[in-house]
């Protein structure tokens, strides 16, 4: 007799919101999710029950939902800890599964009244003194400790130590938020760091984003003049008593061995300097923003890379190549005389065999370590800076440099990897690897544009175009959702969404800019589609509405946008190196197209949040602007007045053409691609859309040839030039190996890597058909001479995967559908079929093309 389904099914420990470690969370009633492991094909959940062990047990809830379900118990109070677990009832089975493993959930400080600590800092107010400081407090532990937590944040960046050991493993805490509105605090479990008797808590404190020079105008004191620390150590004793050690005027401060620290310029550390006795601190005025717990993971040390080469380039300089462009810093281990000065400079590329520093502009990216010289090996890594680099030049090293004495420490948001892609083309595979690396290097507290130069800002347009790719590769809903809260906080009533968030004044003006401000209408729906979380839609609805209303005010009497600044198809490859907004596509065509699309998306958001009148209002607005777009920018035969790849991609993908003209527009787009010898002709606005526009209109072959072109400009051209990340420009490095002369030339921007989303959905064939991948669309469309491709994604319900390979004249496709889900499998030449969860294999006739996919096609007759 076989075991019942429930006995063969395992429930994973529940996940709490989007937290990896639900310690010190800010949600009083956190939503819970769980995944199922089962050998039963077509498995479905009928009901579930949640228990907080020893506290409460929910009713049996008849529901098939398992993603972000409502908290069924009493709301958490500050500091409350519960261990939650879940069990489920499969459909057709009267017996539940076994209880899952428990997940420990602990609330942070949920009200302002929970804080006894005050912000404190240095009493030295010397003009221009930006030297990092150490804050210290000695205290006694009077008995056996049951548990201890530190709640902390800073105006600046900070690290805490207890008795010389780090509290937590964050880097650059508390991270960068719109400090005037929101300031993250961290919660650390320090139970094991305390000892009976005398103890010391120390806080290292530096400028970071708070007071440091930031933005290419290099202005400092963006948020405040003084740095400050807020820390609250709470000790629970085994006898039931409690004690708090908080930042107040009983702390002392002193300077330490860090002489200077700047995110752009690097860190200078003199190990000969020992901290002094300390002077009384001064209370400081904290930020106006609310103290909140983070919704996503912090920046951490994620990986270490050894050098692939190290060579002496002159008498005092070694050149180190790590083989990969990264965000992070170096850790060195060195022995030498006291006072030996080790200098480390960083760069992404070489020029004439040495570091090319021009692309990092005014950022010095220069770390200095001065040896204590005690005869023992000294290991040092900067605390409060990071750099974007593949290469480093080290000067002053005593003796020969052993490559094993240097390591690149990769630092970025500690996101869970959820998506993988593989294919038979090595260059295409390297392109995808480059996309992943650029994402990793640019998710450093905020989703930045680049990790190396004097910028590193949270540009809204970059994230808007890249969000679908980001949400496939990593679990980013908590991270991006948290950042979107800053977008909302920084957007005024007139809907002027900042071009970058957090927003700091620079020489760049702010204006209602299409593509960038549309982050408010597009990204919340991307997160819903990919994670099943409707929270960002509800939280951001009013911001999205203000944005669309602001754009509506730009419309003329013909229902098109024809005034105001626009960045348009930013970084069109034909734009001059010193004028990246001078694209071939009319910027008002781009702006009008985006308003029509965003109004339609806003209508959908309105329906989701129950604002039915708004749903009708913005659907009507979309129709009006679409009609205006057709009158102003499209001829009767379907030709766009901007006869460009981007114009047709926007018109096709945003549904701006009458259905009768779509085919004509697709033919013209394909012709433009052929006339360009399959070189790309799009910037930020067109790049995420052009391959889909070709695919949608029956031009899959042209889409593959465009993707696989190796000529400049193209996606694979940088790969042939040795790129290990996605470049900002299609030609950041010119074919002769020289660097693009533009003032804006980065080798690590993820925006043009938005193409990876097409690779996941079309090349491999894995896409969501319902929020959170509850239903999958498996629709691979092989081409380009590829013999195999695969993609997998850890959905909220479990692992989904598609893998195909050519086998003679057949296409063999393996599909994995997570428990509780289904999939529509649409293979070339076959009618779509729907399958339930489990493993499935399909084989359909699909002979490989005979022609070389990289050979140009003859031009088609113009229409």
């Amino acid at each position: 007799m076989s075991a019942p389904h429930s006995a063969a099914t395992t429930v994973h420990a529940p996940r709490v919101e989007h937290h990896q470690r639900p310690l010190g969370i800010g949600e009083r009633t956190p939503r819970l999710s769980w995944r199922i492991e089962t050998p039963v094909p077509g498995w479905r959940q009928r009901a579930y029950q949640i228990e907080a062990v020893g506290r409460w047990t929910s009713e049996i809830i008849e529901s098939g939902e398992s993603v972000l379900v409502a908290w069924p118990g009493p709301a958490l109070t500050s500091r409350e800890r519960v261990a939650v677990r879940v069990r489920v009832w499969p459909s057709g089975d009267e017996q539940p599964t076994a209880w899952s493993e428990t997940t420990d959930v602990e609330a942070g400080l949920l009200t302002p009244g929970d804080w006894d600590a005050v912000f404190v800092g240095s009493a030295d107010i010397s003009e221009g003194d930006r030297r990092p400081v150490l804050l210290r407090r000695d205290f006694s532990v009077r008995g056996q400790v049951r548990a201890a937590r530190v709640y902390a944040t800073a105006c600046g960046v900070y690290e805490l130590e207890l008795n010389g050991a780090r509290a937590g493993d964050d880097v650059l805490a508390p991270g960068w938020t719109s400090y005037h509105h929101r300031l993250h605090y961290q919660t650390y479990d320090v139970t094991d760091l305390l000892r009976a008797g005398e103890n010391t808590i120390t806080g290292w404190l530096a400028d970071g984003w708070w007071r440091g020079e930031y933005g290419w105008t290099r202005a400092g004191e963006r948020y405040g003049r003084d740095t400050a620390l807020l820390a609250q150590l709470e000790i629970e004793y085994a006898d039931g008593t409690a004690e708090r050690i908080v930042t107040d005027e009983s702390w002392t401060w002193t300077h330490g061995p860090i002489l200077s620290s700047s995110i752009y310029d690097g860190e200078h550390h003199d190990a000969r300097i020992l901290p002094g006795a300390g002077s009384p601190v001064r209370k400081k005025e904290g930020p106006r923003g609310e103290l909140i717990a983070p919704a996503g993971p912090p920046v951490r040390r994620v990986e270490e890379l050894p050098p692939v080469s190290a060579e002496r380039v002159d008498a005092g300089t070694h050149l180190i190549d790590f083989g990969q462009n990264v965000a992070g810093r170096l850790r060195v281990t060195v022995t030498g005389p006291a006072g030996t000065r080790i200098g480390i400079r960083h760069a992404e590329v070489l020029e004439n065999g040495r570091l090319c520093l021009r692309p990092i502009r005014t950022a010095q990216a220069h770390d200095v370590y001065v040896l204590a010289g005690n005869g023992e090996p000294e290991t040092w890594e900067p605390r409060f800076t990071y750099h974007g680099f593949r290469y480093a030049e080290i000067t002053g090293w005593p003796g020969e440099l052993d490559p094993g004495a240097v390591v690149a420490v990769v630092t970025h948001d500690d996101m869970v990897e959820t998506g993988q892609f593989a294919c038979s083309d090595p260059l295409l595979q390297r392109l995808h690897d480059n996309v992943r690396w650029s994402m990793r290097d640019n998710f450093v507290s905020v989703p930045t544009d680049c990790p190396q130069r004097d910028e590193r800002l949270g540009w809204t347009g970059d994230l808007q175009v890249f969000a679908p790719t980001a949400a496939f590769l990593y679990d980013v809903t908590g991270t991006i959702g948290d950042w979107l809260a800053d977008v909302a906080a920084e957007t005024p009533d007139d809907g002027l969404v900042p071009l970058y968030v957090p927003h700091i004044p620079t020489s760049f003006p702010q204006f209602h800019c299409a593509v960038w401000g549309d982050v408010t209408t597009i990204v919340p729906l991307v997160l819903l589609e990919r994670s099943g979380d409707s929270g960002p839609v509800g939280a951001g609805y009013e911001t999205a509405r203000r944005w669309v209303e602001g754009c509506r005010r730009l419309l003329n009497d013909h229902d098109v946008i024809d005034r105001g600044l626009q960045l348009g198809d930013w970084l069109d490859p034909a734009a001059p190196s010193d004028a990246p907004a001078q694209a071939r596509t009319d910027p008002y065509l781009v702006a009008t197209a985006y308003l029509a699309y965003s109004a339609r998306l806003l209508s959908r958001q309105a329906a989701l949040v129950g604002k039915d009148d708004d749903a009708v209002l913005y659907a009507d607005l979309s129709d009006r602007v679409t009609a205006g777009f057709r009158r102003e920018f499209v001829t009767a035969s379907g030709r766009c007045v901007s006869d460009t790849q981007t114009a047709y991609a926007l018109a096709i993908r945003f549904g701006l053409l009458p259905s009768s003209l779509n085919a004509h527009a697709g033919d013209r787009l394909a012709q433009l691609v052929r006339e360009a010898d399959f070189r790309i002709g799009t910037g930020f606005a067109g790049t995420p859309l052009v391959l889909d526009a070709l695919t949608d209109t029956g031009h899959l072959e042209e889409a593959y040839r465009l993707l696989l072109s190796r000529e400049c400009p193209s996606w694979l051209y940088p790969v042939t030039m040795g790129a290990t990340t996605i470049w900002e420009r299609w030609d950041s490095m010119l074919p002769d190996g020289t660097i693009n002369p533009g003032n804006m030339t980065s080798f690590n921007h993820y925006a043009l890597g938005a193409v990876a989303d097409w690779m996941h959905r079309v090349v491999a064939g894995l896409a969501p058909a319902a929020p959170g991948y509850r239903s999958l669309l498996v629709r691979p469309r092989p081409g380009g001479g590829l013999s195999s491709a695969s993609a997998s994604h850890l959905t909220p319900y479990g692992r989904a995967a598609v893998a195909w390979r050519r086998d003679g004249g057949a296409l063999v496709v393996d599909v994995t559908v997570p428990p509780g889900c289904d999939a529509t499998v649409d293979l070339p030449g076959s009618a779509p079929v729907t399958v339930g969860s489990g493993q499935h294999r399909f084989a359909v006739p699909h002979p490989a093309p005979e022609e070389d996919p990289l050979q140009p096609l003859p031009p088609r007759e113009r229409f």
Side-chain angles (χ1 to χ4, degrees), residues 9 15 59 66 84 94 152 163 187 220 226 274 277 495 509 716 720 725 728-729 755 759 788 814 828 843:
T9 299
R15 187 177 187 193
E59 298 177 347
S66 59
V84 294
E94 294 303 316
N163 302 316
T187 302
D226 295 332
L274 299 178
L716 293 187
T720 67
T725 43
E728 178 178 22
R729 297 176 179 268
V755 67
M759 296 162 66
S788 65
D814 290 305

Side-chain angles (χ1 to χ4, degrees), residues 14-18 30-36 45 48 50 63-71 86 88 477 527-535 770-774 794-798 818-821:
R15 187 177 187 193
V16 181
E17 290 289 339
H18 301 286
R31 298 167 298 173
L32 302 176
S33 306
W34 54 90
R35 296 187 177 106
I36 302 294
Q45 174 185 298
Y48 66 85
I50 297 170
S63 171
E65 298 301 320
S66 59
V67 173
L68 298 167
V69 303
W71 179 261
V86 63
V88 306
T477 302
L527 297 181
L528 171 61
E529 175 189 66
R530 301 307 176 95
S531 73
D533 189 354
S534 62
Y773 293 81
R774 188 67 182 268
L794 183 61
T795 79
Y797 299 93
C821 301

Side-chain angles (χ1 to χ4, degrees), residues 66-272:
S66 59
V67 173
L68 298 167
V69 303
W71 179 261
L76 296 174
T77 59
S78 294
R79 310 176 182 86
E80 186 175 359
R81 303 167 199 156
V82 296
V84 294
R85 61 182 185 175
V86 63
R87 61 178 177 176
V88 306
W89 279 258
S91 294
D93 197 333
E94 294 303 316
Q95 297 300 315
T97 64
W99 286 103
S100 71
E101 295 294 322
T102 60
T103 297
D104 294 329
V105 186
E106 183 173 327
L109 302 185
L110 304 178
T111 69
D114 293 321
W115 290 92
D116 293 333
V118 296
F119 282 93
V120 299
S122 163
D124 186 351
I125 55 174
S126 301
E127 187 68 28
D129 187 356
R130 298 186 179 277
R131 185 172 172 181
V133 297
L134 281 81
L135 310 178
R136 171 179 170 141
R137 165 75 191 275
D138 297 326
F139 62 97
S140 295
V141 170
R142 54 178 172 74
Q144 183 179 353
V145 175
R146 182 169 59 198
R149 302 287 186 265
V150 171
Y151 307 95
T153 189
C155 299
V157 287
Y158 77 99
E159 290 184 0
L160 288 181
E161 294 179 352
L162 275 159
N163 302 316
R166 273 291 308 276
D169 53 5
D170 301 8
V171 173
L172 299 174
W176 191 18
T177 52
S178 297
Y179 296 133
H180 292 328
H181 302 282
R182 307 179 329 120
L183 175 62
H184 285 160
Y185 70 88
Q186 287 67 49
T187 302
Y188 302 117
D189 181 351
V190 294
T191 308
D192 295 338
L193 301 185
L194 297 179
R195 60 196 181 201
E198 294 304 307
N199 290 255
T200 301
I201 183 171
T202 304
W204 296 74
L205 184 62
D207 287 354
W209 297 277
W210 175 269
R211 191 180 67 171
E213 294 184 351
Y214 216 69
W216 53 87
T217 55
R218 298 305 302 263
E221 299 180 3
R222 296 288 190 177
Y223 296 97
R225 187 178 170 200
D226 295 332
T227 57
L229 177 70
L230 182 77
Q232 185 159 304
L233 168 62
E234 301 191 357
I235 304 172
E236 297 178 20
Y237 290 103
D239 63 7
T241 60
E243 185 177 10
R244 293 182 185 177
I245 308 298
V246 303
T247 45
D248 57 21
E249 291 174 299
S250 67
W251 287 53
T252 60
W253 76 275
T254 186
H255 289 302
I258 304 177
L259 303 183
S260 64
S261 186
S262 161
I263 291 177
Y264 286 165
D265 294 337
E267 196 159 290
H268 186 171
H269 185 110
D270 190 336
R272 297 171 300 177

Side-chain angles (χ1 to χ4, degrees), residues 185-439:
Y185 70 88
Q186 287 67 49
T187 302
Y188 302 117
D189 181 351
V190 294
T191 308
D192 295 338
L193 301 185
L194 297 179
R195 60 196 181 201
E198 294 304 307
N199 290 255
T200 301
I201 183 171
T202 304
W204 296 74
L205 184 62
D207 287 354
W209 297 277
W210 175 269
R211 191 180 67 171
E213 294 184 351
Y214 216 69
W216 53 87
T217 55
R218 298 305 302 263
E221 299 180 3
R222 296 288 190 177
Y223 296 97
R225 187 178 170 200
D226 295 332
T227 57
L229 177 70
L230 182 77
Q232 185 159 304
L233 168 62
E234 301 191 357
I235 304 172
E236 297 178 20
Y237 290 103
D239 63 7
T241 60
E243 185 177 10
R244 293 182 185 177
I245 308 298
V246 303
T247 45
D248 57 21
E249 291 174 299
S250 67
W251 287 53
T252 60
W253 76 275
T254 186
H255 289 302
I258 304 177
L259 303 183
S260 64
S261 186
S262 161
I263 291 177
Y264 286 165
D265 294 337
E267 196 159 290
H268 186 171
H269 185 110
D270 190 336
R272 297 171 300 177
I273 298 174
L274 299 178
S279 304
V281 298
R282 177 175 295 181
K283 291 174 62 175
K284 303 288 183 176
E285 182 179 353
R288 299 193 302 271
E290 178 186 8
L291 287 177
I292 58 168
V299 179
R300 291 191 175 103
R301 300 169 180 83
V302 177
E303 186 176 353
E304 296 183 1
L305 298 179
V308 297
S309 68
E311 59 179 296
R312 188 184 290 274
V313 292
D314 62 34
T317 307
H318 291 84
L319 176 64
I320 314 296
D321 178 6
F322 292 96
Q324 174 62 53
N325 202 10
V326 303
R329 58 269 189 113
L330 265 58
R331 181 186 301 136
V332 298
T333 301
V334 58
T335 305
T340 301
R341 178 187 172 98
I342 308 295
I344 307 171
R345 292 192 180 275
H346 308 75
E348 296 181 293
V349 291
L350 301 179
E351 194 168 46
N352 301 319
R354 300 297 294 268
L355 299 186
C356 181
L357 299 177
R358 180 173 59 83
I360 66 175
R361 301 191 304 213
T362 66
Q364 295 300 304
H366 184 204
D367 296 329
V368 175
Y369 179 68
V370 180
L371 274 66
N374 54 20
E376 298 294 327
E378 301 177 41
T379 298
W380 177 75
E381 173 189 334
R383 287 180 184 262
F384 299 122
T385 190
Y386 79 97
H387 312 289
F389 65 98
R390 171 177 171 170
Y391 302 94
E393 282 188 353
I394 300 180
T395 58
W397 194 273
E400 287 301 314
L401 190 152
D402 178 359
V406 181
V407 63
V409 182
V410 180
T411 59
H412 56 72
D413 291 354
D414 190 13
M415 305 167 290
V416 173
E417 183 177 330
T418 54
Q420 294 80 35
F421 172 86
C423 73
S424 57
D425 186 311
L427 289 182
L428 193 59
Q429 185 65 55
R430 181 68 237 194
L431 172 67
H432 192 271
D433 294 344
N434 290 359
V435 172
R436 184 186 299 280
W437 269 107
S438 277
M439 177 180 172

